[in-house]
Amino acid sequence: MSDAKLKLGLVGLGKIAVDQHLPSISETGLFDLVGIVSQRGLTVPGARTFATQAEMLAAMPELTAVASCTPPSVRHDATIEALQAGKHVLIEKPPTASVAELADMISVAASTGRTLFATWHSQFNGAVDQAASILQARPPAQVNIIWKEDVRRWHPGQEWIWQAGGFGVFDPGINALSILVKIMPNPVFVATSDMVFPSNRDTPIAASLKLRSHGVDAVHAEFDWRQEGEQTWTISVTLRDGGTLVLTNGGTRLFVDGQPVLAEADQEYRHIYRRFHELITQAKSDVDARPLNIVADAMLLGVRRETDAFNW
Ligand code: NAP
């Protein structure tokens, strides 16, 4: 492959595309953003805007890759369309609205020989890598996840998160699960799931999970979208040897035995675009289905409670 930048189309110019994808594409310098799909007709300097992905694919055969920044419920059809058009595809998390859709996408990527990269941005932190290494050497005894944030602050006006297939509080909660599966020495399973649904919505505003993992006494996760004031994205681990390991700030800071070990500036999406380029160059895919499987199992095994209606 030459050193020329790969031509990229981006689908869905919403919050994460603007906050993270556009600056990361520009700063990493590996992709040339030449096409945008925006239902609202939004534009980005240097790129042509299309109303649908099909129009972009037809008009721009020179595209090498597509980045999907839409809600998960529309990702399956669009990803299959892009793969079958011969494009490499990067998808936001959660990858799909269902487990079967993700399995189909993996299969189509393999049959078309194109790269499928299902990103989990929280996994792209040095602190998470280091936590995984430490837990290999010092086994965990108990894990406690607290992922509590204010939905009005982080998802202002987004209706899709409350519609079936929109994940509700599992939209941020799956980030914690993506870290959990990466740092734990053994597979993680849902034992019980207790979910709270606003009376006027189809997805949960809070969830409490008990999980199991070989050799671990207890794994507990609390997700809540009603937290005002300080926001908490913390995973605390009590180690079998009596020590502690704590990841805070969404996995960017690591404390071991009470001492700060690593604190990184936010580089998650820069790492993601470098990884996407590397995968394309190596003709490989990278799809970790485990976080989605845990959420699906939490839905399968969960009890449902109702709470007050949610209105913006
Ligand atoms: P968003 O602000 O609602 O943006 C999604 C965009 O996708 C919309 O603005 C729209 O853009 C396009 N779109 C295409 N089909 C759509 C449909 N049926 N319904 C609604 N929008 C549709 O959402 P977001 O926060 O950017 O999240 C997008 C994805 O990124 C989600 O999977 C989310 O979990 C993930 N993510 C979000 C964050 C965050 O902080 N918000 C962080 C990490 C990952 P056009 O009008 O331009 O077509």
Side-chain angles (χ1 to χ4, degrees), residues 12-17 19 37-40 42 69-75 92-94 121 154-155 158 160 171 269:
L13 205 57
K15 185 173 189 313
I16 197 62
D19 288 357
V37 177
S38 175
Q39 297 171 332
R40 292 166 296 164
L42 300 181
C69 303
T70 67
S73 58
V74 295
R75 195 121 54 216
E92 258 298 347
K93 49 61 59 174
H121 63 87
W154 302 104
H155 297 271
Q158 293 178 358
W160 62 265
D171 179 81
Y269 281 82

Side-chain angles (χ1 to χ4, degrees), residues 207-226:
S208 175
L209 307 187
K210 288 189 176 143
L211 302 130
R212 301 183 286 117
S213 187
H214 305 299
V216 180
D217 299 335
V219 183
H220 190 193
E222 289 289 337
F223 305 137
D224 205 316
W225 247 348
R226 298 167 293 190

Side-chain angles (χ1 to χ4, degrees), residues 3 15 24 32 38 78 108 149 157 268 278 308:
D3 290 339
K15 185 173 189 313
S24 300
D32 194 6
S38 175
V108 173
E149 62 175 51
E268 294 173 355
E278 179 183 71
D308 299 342

Side-chain angles (χ1 to χ4, degrees), residues 125-130 247 252-255 259-264:
N125 280 297
V128 172
D129 291 330
Q130 203 163 331
L247 283 163
T252 56
R253 296 188 190 174
L254 175 64
F255 298 80
Q259 300 301 313
V261 172
L262 193 59
E264 275 191 326

